[in-house]
Amino acid sequence: MIVDDQPLLLMHVKFAFEDAGYVVIQADSADEALIALDRHPEICAMFTDVAMPGSIDGAALAAKAHKSHPHVSIIVTSGEQRHVAADLPAGVQFVPKPYTGHDIIRMIGECVS
């Protein structure tokens, strides 16, 4: 699953995932992502931005998803790097912006294999 409120970034990562053979579920807010996690138990990985609209941000989404869906590998990204990585739950990975689609595919591959 990809969670981002910026359509161009969402599309960039979505195409990279699809090119690598992954089926992509997308969400444009953390609230929508939590619903998708409950509706799609087949989700095995989530890539989320920190800054987005909704009741919680991507860092809080990562914490909630890690607790409620521990089988899901989670990667968080942000252009605001201070304090983000240190505040994430153990096992949740962080990648700073800018990143490439190849970076994310490599990280997801390491998580789900």
Side-chain angles (χ1 to χ4, degrees):
M1 177 168 47
I2 303 167
V3 188
D4 202 315
D5 66 320
Q6 298 198 11
L8 290 177
L9 292 175
L10 183 72
M11 191 178 347
H12 168 73
V13 177
K14 180 181 179 198
F15 288 152
F17 276 41
E18 289 175 341
D19 286 348
Y22 293 99
V23 174
V24 177
I25 295 171
Q26 59 188 56
D28 61 9
S29 72
D31 301 311
E32 190 177 308
L34 289 171
I35 293 168
L37 282 168
D38 288 337
R39 287 187 180 161
H40 298 278
E42 72 276 14
I43 292 172
C44 62
M46 179 174 66
F47 176 67
T48 183
D49 190 12
V50 170
M52 69 180 83
S55 64
I56 60 173
D57 66 11
L61 167 62
K64 281 188 171 201
H66 184 67
K67 186 175 182 178
S68 64
H69 298 81
H71 67 282
V72 175
S73 299
I74 302 170
I75 300 173
V76 176
T77 189
S78 178
E80 275 295 315
Q81 296 156 16
R82 60 176 194 260
H83 307 299
V84 173
D87 293 337
L88 296 174
V92 173
Q93 296 187 60
F94 178 78
V95 61
K97 289 181 180 178
Y99 53 81
T100 68
H102 293 286
D103 294 334
I104 303 308
I105 295 305
R106 179 185 47 76
M107 292 176 78
I108 289 291
E110 292 170 359
C111 289
V112 298
S113 50

